[in-house]
Every structure is written in C-alpha cells, then in structure tokens.
C-alpha cells in the first residue's frame, strides 16, 4: 500500500514538472522591457493679465498638446505660463 502511495506521489510530481516544462517551452518569453527615459519640452510665454487673453493662449497651447504646469507672476504685472509637452 505504501508503494502505491509513493508511486502516485512520484507520478504526480513527474506530470507537474512535465507540464511546467511544456509551459516554459511554449509560453511567451519573459522579456524585461527597459523603461525609456521620458523627454519633455518646456515653453514659457508671457501673457497680458486679462482673463480673455490668458484663456485664448491656454486654449491655443492646449490644442497643440501642451500642458500648463505652472504660472509665474514674474514682476507681478505679466504672468508667465509654463507649459510642458
């Protein structure tokens, strides 16, 4: 009886290892992908401080794929919009 159990355990182990080997041979390769470094472009523009002009410029740059990341007031009279893409 003990020989039957031992034979069953070996049989299960063999089948498991065989299936694992088959999976490794036929499966997708485990290729580690190198992460590309992201490169950004930045653009700084000065705009008139009125809301309509700023909104127009924001929409223009947004349509071109630019994202507003900061607003610097500079000398407090001419806002600088800082975009990145």
């Amino acid at each position: 009886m003990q020989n039957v159990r031992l034979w069953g355990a070996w049989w299960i182990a063999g089948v498991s290892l065989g299936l694992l080997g088959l999976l490794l041979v036929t499966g997708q390769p485990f290729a580690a992908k190198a992460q590309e470094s992201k490169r950004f472009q930045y653009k700084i523009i000065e705009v008139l401080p009125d809301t309509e002009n700023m909104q127009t410029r924001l929409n223009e740059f947004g349509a071109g794929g630019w994202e507003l990341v900061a607003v610097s007031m500079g000398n407090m009279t001419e806002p600088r919009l800082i975009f990145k893409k």
Side-chain angles (χ1 to χ4, degrees):
M1 183 73 170
Q2 192 171 2
N3 286 339
V4 173
R5 285 185 190 168
L6 187 58
W7 180 83
W10 279 108
W11 185 81
I12 290 172
V15 169
S16 298
L17 286 174
L19 289 174
L20 180 61
L22 184 64
L23 180 64
L24 289 174
V25 169
T26 61
Q28 295 290 330
F30 297 106
K33 238 183 176 179
Q35 216 174 16
E36 294 180 21
S37 63
K38 293 183 179 180
R39 295 188 178 150
F40 296 106
Q41 294 177 326
Y42 294 91
K43 188 173 288 247
I44 301 171
I45 62 166
E46 290 183 354
V47 294
L48 298 174
D50 70 279
T51 304
E52 193 171 314
N53 179 52
M54 286 180 72
Q55 190 170 2
T56 301
R57 298 302 299 257
L58 287 167
N59 286 330
E60 287 173 4
F61 281 91
W66 292 91
E67 177 183 359
L68 180 69
V69 293
V71 177
S72 170
M73 287 306 291
N75 62 3
M76 300 303 285
T77 59
E78 295 178 351
R80 291 186 185 120
L81 305 178
I82 303 169
F83 295 91
K84 101 175 172 180
K85 182 171 170 177

